[in-house]
Amino acid sequence: MSTEIFPLNACRKLSINNSTPELVETAIRRNEGRLAASGSFVVETGQHTGRSVNDKFIVRDADTDPAIWWDNNKSMTEEQFDRLLHDFLSFAKLKELFVQDLFAGADPVHRLPTRVFCEYAWHALFIRNLLRRPGPGDLEGFEPGLTIVALPSFRAAPDYHGTRSETVIAVNLTRRIVLIGGTSYAGEIKKSVFTYLNYRLPQKNVMPMHCSANVGSNGDSAIFFGLSGTGKTTLSADPARTLLGDDEHGWSEAGIFNFEGGCYAKTIRLSKEAEPEIYAAASRFGTVLENVALDPATGGTDFDDGRLTENTRAAYPLDAIANASPTGTAGHPKNIVMLTADAFGVLPPIAKLTPAQAVYHFLSGYTAKVAGTEKGMGAEPQATFSTCFGAPFMPRHPAVYGTLLRRLIAEHGVDCWLVNTGWTGGKYGTGSRMPIKVTRALLNAALSGALKGAPMRTDPLFGFQVPLSLQGVDPKLLTPRETWTDPKAYDATAEALVGMFEKNFAKYETLVDAEVRNARPGLDPAAAA
């Protein structure tokens, strides 16, 4: 059906399934970006340096009306979408477009054939890096299950198309097509695939997850949930473990599988010493660098320069990482890690969660933003709660994903952990960032099983279990209150954070059972004193 909605003969000229060198050469010829000295292709995305959350719409029809979490998703009528589609087709007739036929999903049982039409050659290169490239014979009889059309120079008419602005991401889940216009930010293409899979896979009892994943030498796989900036990409790129992927995975009856064939890593202040694998991948031919500054004299990349945006990115195929899995699949996870960058300095660096606590924190999706990362932010950290660690991409109600996750945790006896990669010794501006060596040491101990039987204390604020000690880690770091010079200031900050959790979770309380409700944090002043 989708091949008829936006046919291959829709545009003036079409380039189909170009190779990486062909796309780089074409993008240079069309002046879409520049080559860095390292060989990576550098682009600037203009006014949109991140996702346009308020410009994304899901078409409301007989199928989607009862299934979508409309409190979290904006709707568009079928008539508005039809007008938009008509104008996209008219616009495409004047353009040269680049098509990539790819797959989303490493598991052949659940993979999604995806056709992407791009106005820019570098967008085609981007999605070629990010999705799974076809093998020999895979394109014979290729029939897309999802079609995406990305036309950055198209401008929507709000009164006519039902949009908020000239920018639009229109997702028609029933007809399996996404129209993207008015933005050059390539992440919209990638996340449109994720949004569709988040809608379709739960119908097959497959859990879609905004997470990274890796596998140990004994086949012990681990999942890392986390919002942007919490360390999802960095911590999963462990040279001692095989990388499945850095962002999007499914959990089926057979185990876990990567949706993608590449990584979309944040590069602001990327360090060769701290993150050698990612640095090397970002500095190779075929990698796309979004909004990364170049030295005009040498062509060298400056990953410390955030003048265009803090959200600088590198898009590269998984085979750029030496220890990446060639299959993108693994068995059922032994561990689930939920990452948070707590800028309030309240949470311990690691904590063991019960299954009910894991569901509570999964539905909460907590992290904190710090001053300077977004326009309009003040000096104080701001708590961010993004349910399921990916609310913008969740078309269904969080209870659907939470129920699936809880069942899978119980069926496979998964150990669950909360890891704070944020601040210690005080909140942002007073304390310091949790040392990555400490995070890695504690994480390695958790994944190896060393922490499973270790002596632990019950945290008086959140009720989870916190290790008392680990060789090579300062014991004070494991008790956040002891790292603050003013314990009373810690108590006040902790009480405020608990209040934020309680306020956020109020909207889910009637949708979860008593065990999950009782997993919420609470204060025990006597124990904290």
Side-chain angles (χ1 to χ4, degrees):
M1 182 177 182
S2 59
T3 52
E4 300 302 321
I5 294 173
F6 207 94
L8 286 173
N9 62 1
C11 57
R12 177 178 59 82
K13 181 180 178 183
L14 197 66
S15 298
I16 303 177
N17 294 326
N18 295 118
S19 67
T20 294
E22 289 172 333
L23 290 170
V24 172
E25 289 174 3
T26 301
I28 292 172
R29 174 175 54 80
R30 288 160 54 101
N31 200 31
E32 294 179 3
R34 297 173 291 167
L35 273 184
S38 64
S40 51
F41 190 72
V42 184
V43 298
E44 293 184 10
T45 61
Q47 65 171 327
H48 296 289
T49 58
R51 290 179 297 103
S52 300
V53 179
N54 294 322
D55 293 306
K56 180 179 177 181
F57 300 85
I58 292 178
V59 176
R60 197 166 195 155
D61 56 31
D63 290 335
T64 60
D65 184 53
I68 300 303
W69 180 28
W70 294 113
D71 289 346
N72 185 63
N73 294 278
K74 296 180 177 63
S75 67
M76 172 180 282
T77 68
E78 294 178 84
E79 293 75 20
Q80 289 166 335
F81 182 85
D82 286 342
R83 290 198 290 267
L84 188 66
L85 176 61
H86 175 272
D87 289 350
F88 260 65
L89 286 164
S90 297
F91 192 82
K93 288 178 182 178
L94 307 174
K95 294 290 180 179
E96 174 184 10
L97 298 187
F98 302 87
V99 169
Q100 289 285 309
D101 289 332
L102 303 158
F103 294 94
D107 184 343
V109 175
H110 299 294
R111 76 178 183 180
L112 174 70
T114 304
R115 174 167 289 162
V116 185
F117 290 81
C118 302
E119 182 181 354
Y120 295 161
W122 80 261
H123 273 178
L125 174 62
F126 168 90
I127 202 61
R128 179 178 173 81
N129 283 349
L130 264 292
L131 291 187
R132 302 192 70 82
R133 292 160 294 287
D138 279 346
L139 293 182
E140 293 180 12
F142 184 90
E143 183 70 23
L146 176 67
T147 299
I148 299 174
V149 186
L151 304 178
S153 61
F154 179 89
R155 296 293 181 265
D159 291 341
Y160 183 66
H161 296 123
T163 61
R164 185 190 69 95
S165 71
E166 293 183 337
T167 300
V168 62
I169 302 94
V171 183
N172 194 317
L173 295 167
T174 302
R175 297 172 73 182
R176 298 176 295 164
I177 183 169
V178 180
L179 306 177
I180 303 171
T183 174
S184 298
Y185 181 67
E188 298 286 11
I189 306 172
K190 161 191 158 69
K191 290 304 185 185
S192 294
V193 179
F194 189 40
T195 298
Y196 181 81
L197 290 171
N198 282 335
Y199 176 70
R200 287 296 182 192
L201 289 181
Q203 295 175 311
K204 304 166 72 175
N205 285 319
V206 177
M207 174 71 181
M209 302 175 292
H210 187 214
C211 69
S212 58
N214 62 25
V215 190
S217 58
N218 296 323
D220 54 309
S221 63
I223 290 169
F224 301 79
F225 286 108
L227 299 173
S228 180
T230 57
K232 203 160 73 285
T233 299
T234 299
L235 293 173
S236 59
D238 184 340
R241 296 173 65 85
T242 300
L243 177 70
L244 254 68
D246 81 321
D247 200 40
E248 299 165 7
H249 293 79
W251 188 353
S252 72
E253 67 284 348
I256 60 175
F257 61 97
N258 191 2
F259 289 166
E260 301 182 300
C263 297
Y264 192 36
K266 289 192 76 169
T267 60
I268 191 68
R269 290 174 287 279
L270 179 64
S271 163
K272 185 177 183 179
E273 291 69 33
E275 300 171 87
E277 294 84 9
I278 297 172
Y279 188 93
S283 307
R284 67 193 289 275
F285 177 78
T287 289
V288 175
L289 297 181
E290 280 187 325
N291 300 309
V292 172
L294 281 184
D295 184 310
T298 67
T301 50
D302 184 356
F303 292 119
D304 294 328
D305 191 331
R307 283 177 292 176
L308 290 176
T309 177
E310 288 278 313
N311 191 36
T312 55
R313 296 274 183 167
Y316 49 85
L318 269 170
D319 58 21
I321 302 292
N323 64 329
S325 166
T327 66
T329 62
H332 298 289
K334 300 290 186 185
N335 291 277
I336 289 176
V337 179
M338 298 184 186
L339 300 168
T340 179
D342 176 26
F344 295 97
V346 169
L347 296 178
I350 196 167
K352 180 89 163 53
L353 305 175
T354 66
Q357 288 170 340
V359 172
Y360 178 92
H361 285 278
F362 176 72
L363 292 176
S364 297
Y366 166 70
T367 192
K369 297 176 181 178
V370 299
T373 58
E374 290 186 3
K375 291 180 180 179
M377 283 194 64
E380 291 295 310
Q382 291 184 9
T384 298
F385 294 93
S386 184
T387 189
C388 308
F389 293 97
F393 326 116
M394 302 295 168
R396 297 184 182 273
H397 195 279
V400 172
Y401 308 106
T403 300
L404 257 176
L405 181 66
R406 190 173 189 185
R407 177 177 63 79
L408 288 164
I409 289 172
E411 285 181 2
H412 303 288
V414 185
D415 288 324
C416 302
W417 308 87
L418 183 70
V419 170
N420 174 24
T421 60
W423 272 255
T424 182
K427 59 186 176 182
Y428 173 79
T430 302
S432 58
R433 195 76 190 255
M434 193 72 69
I436 192 168
K437 289 183 178 180
V438 169
T439 301
R440 285 201 181 278
L442 290 165
L443 193 55
N444 289 340
L447 299 186
S448 70
L451 281 186
K452 196 169 183 179
M456 298 202 182
R457 65 176 178 86
T458 300
D459 186 273
L461 300 175
F462 287 85
F464 42 48
Q465 299 290 297
V466 181
L468 294 174
S469 64
L470 182 74
Q471 187 174 358
V473 175
D474 183 352
K476 288 178 64 176
L477 289 173
L478 296 168
T479 307
R481 192 171 188 266
E482 294 184 9
T483 66
W484 284 52
T485 56
D486 184 352
K488 290 185 178 180
Y490 171 84
D491 294 339
T493 304
E495 183 177 3
L497 181 59
V498 167
M500 295 174 202
F501 267 90
E502 291 177 338
K503 181 179 179 181
N504 171 73
F505 202 78
K507 55 183 172 287
Y508 306 124
E509 284 191 348
T510 60
L511 303 168
V512 298
D513 61 27
E515 193 175 3
V516 174
R517 285 196 300 273
N518 291 337
R520 66 184 185 273
L523 286 176
D524 182 354

